């Protein structure tokens, strides 16, 4: 299941316990990285805000997955050695490549994360119950 599908499933749940259950059942590092990147104020993205100019992949034919690509987030987080040693144009090119290679709905999730927009239907108490210690701020 893609990240956007998990987040959509969480958003459809009406009760906190059900939302927590969905998050726990679908726990992956990619999902936790998206949530942490969106909600943790200690994570500062070294990318321009807003929506970058990119060409979304076709929904039925995307070569990459956010489940694998999330490992590249170290190139985008301010203060990380891999990020600081990378020139801005290379960092932005890498980010655009990621957006263009993953499912278009996951690309929107990624853009929201960079812009610090919390995924719909998820609150801090839900995250703290599902993944204790994930948010460090």
């Amino acid at each position: 299941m893609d990240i956007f599908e998990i987040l959509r499933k969480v958003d459809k749940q009406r009760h906190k316990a059900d939302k927590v259950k969905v998050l726990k059942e679908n726990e992956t590092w990619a999902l936790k990285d998206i949530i942490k990147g969106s909600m943790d104020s200690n994570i500062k993205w070294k990318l321009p805000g807003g929506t970058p100019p990119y060409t979304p992949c076709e929904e039925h034919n995307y070569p990459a997955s956010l489940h694998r690509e999330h490992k590249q987030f170290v190139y985008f987080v301010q203060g990380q050695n891999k990020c600081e040693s990378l020139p801005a144009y290379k960092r932005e090119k890498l980010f655009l490549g990621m957006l263009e290679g993953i499912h278009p709905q996951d690309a929107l999730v990624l853009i929201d994360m960079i812009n610090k927009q919390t995924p719909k239907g998820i609150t801090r108490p839900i995250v703290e119950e599902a993944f204790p210690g994930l948010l460090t701020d």
Side-chain angles (χ1 to χ4, degrees):
M1 190 179 305
D2 287 317
I3 300 296
F4 79 92
E5 293 171 311
I6 297 167
L7 294 174
R8 190 176 291 159
K9 192 173 178 181
V10 169
D11 186 40
K12 287 182 181 179
Q13 304 305 312
R14 293 200 172 260
H15 304 288
K16 178 182 173 186
D18 295 331
K19 291 175 184 273
V20 169
K21 182 180 177 196
V22 171
L23 287 172
K24 284 183 173 184
E25 288 173 349
N26 294 284
E27 180 178 357
T28 62
W29 281 110
L31 176 63
K32 293 193 308 189
D33 283 351
I34 291 290
I35 292 170
K36 184 175 177 79
S38 299
M39 299 178 76
D40 195 323
S41 63
N42 290 329
I43 304 290
K44 305 278 190 237
W45 298 105
K46 202 162 182 177
L47 289 165
T51 302
Y54 75 102
T55 306
C57 207
E58 295 178 14
E59 278 196 28
H60 65 281
N61 188 25
Y62 52 99
S65 164
L66 207 45
H67 288 286
R68 286 188 309 260
E69 298 293 314
H70 77 98
K71 295 173 186 165
Q72 294 186 52
F73 289 177
V74 294
Y75 294 107
F76 311 133
V77 178
Q78 189 173 344
Q80 295 286 324
N81 287 340
K82 289 184 178 184
C83 175
E84 299 301 333
S85 65
L86 200 63
Y89 75 93
K90 284 188 179 180
R91 185 180 318 107
E92 291 170 20
K93 186 176 179 177
L94 185 65
F95 183 65
L96 289 175
M98 186 184 296
L99 289 175
E100 292 177 350
I102 61 178
H103 191 284
Q105 294 298 315
D106 271 346
L108 295 175
V109 168
L110 193 55
I111 292 168
D112 284 348
M113 178 188 72
I114 296 298
N115 290 308
K116 290 293 196 180
Q117 294 179 350
T118 302
K120 195 174 174 187
I122 294 181
T123 62
R124 188 172 195 92
I126 291 169
V127 173
E128 288 172 349
E129 188 174 329
F131 310 128
L134 179 66
L135 303 177
T136 58
D137 60 348

